[in-house]
Amino acid sequence: MTHSLAPAAIPAAAQRQLRTVTVVFAIALLVHGSDHLRRGMDTVSSTVMVLGTVQLILAAATIVLIFRNHRWAIPAAIGIGFASAAGFILVHLFPDWFGPFSDSFINAPASAKVNGISWFAAIFEIISDFALGVTALRVRRLSGRGQYA
């Protein structure tokens, strides 16, 4: 038996809130990605580049799922929201402890071109990631569905 989260199962106000948070999430993705382009793609390791690309693809897929009211939208939003928030915290806000997994803004070398815009972009992304995960959890609770697929 296939379980589906039909759009009618989600209260309209919760659906609007999820879409609003998703738009902010998409803007945060663009702001953060633009900062990486401004800084230059050569300022990050290939590992960080690959992880960022995977995150961007999964985030874009999640945005599409949400706006199509797909049954996987809520689980995808929970997963990408919290995983992205944790990942960006580890990559940008911790000291350079993780070698090729780091693009630390803590004591970043001048060659990394980290400035106030970089800090804003990273923190904006982290907050929007967390907001997406929390909002998706709320929508799941309001819809009365605990399992999908």
Side-chain angles (χ1 to χ4, degrees):
M1 179 192 316
T2 302
H3 298 278
S4 176
L5 181 60
I10 298 174
Q15 183 71 355
R16 278 191 305 276
Q17 184 180 23
L18 179 63
R19 286 181 173 193
T20 300
V21 169
T22 301
V23 168
V24 173
F25 170 74
I27 292 168
L29 284 170
L30 292 173
V31 169
H32 189 183
S34 295
D35 182 61
H36 274 285
L37 290 174
R38 179 197 62 80
R39 290 174 52 212
M41 299 313 289
D42 60 336
T43 62
V44 298
S45 70
S46 59
T47 304
V48 169
M49 177 104 51
V50 167
L51 290 173
T53 302
V54 169
Q55 186 271 344
L56 181 62
I57 291 167
L58 293 174
T62 298
I63 292 166
V64 170
L65 292 173
I66 289 168
F67 279 95
R68 294 197 62 183
N69 294 321
H70 193 276
R71 66 188 177 119
W72 286 101
I74 302 306
I78 293 167
I80 197 68
F82 291 122
S84 294
F88 286 119
I89 288 169
L90 291 173
V91 169
H92 289 308
L93 303 184
F94 274 54
D96 192 10
W97 294 341
F98 304 107
F101 292 97
S102 288
D103 181 21
S104 179
F105 290 178
I106 308 295
N107 299 321
S111 62
K113 302 175 188 164
V114 172
N115 63 16
I117 295 169
S118 305
W119 279 97
F120 170 79
I123 292 169
F124 180 32
E125 173 102 18
I126 291 164
I127 290 169
S128 72
D129 293 341
F130 186 71
L132 181 66
V134 168
T135 303
L137 282 173
R138 180 176 172 271
V139 169
R140 184 177 71 175
R141 180 181 54 80
L142 289 174
S143 70
R145 302 279 183 135
Q147 292 187 341
Y148 299 88

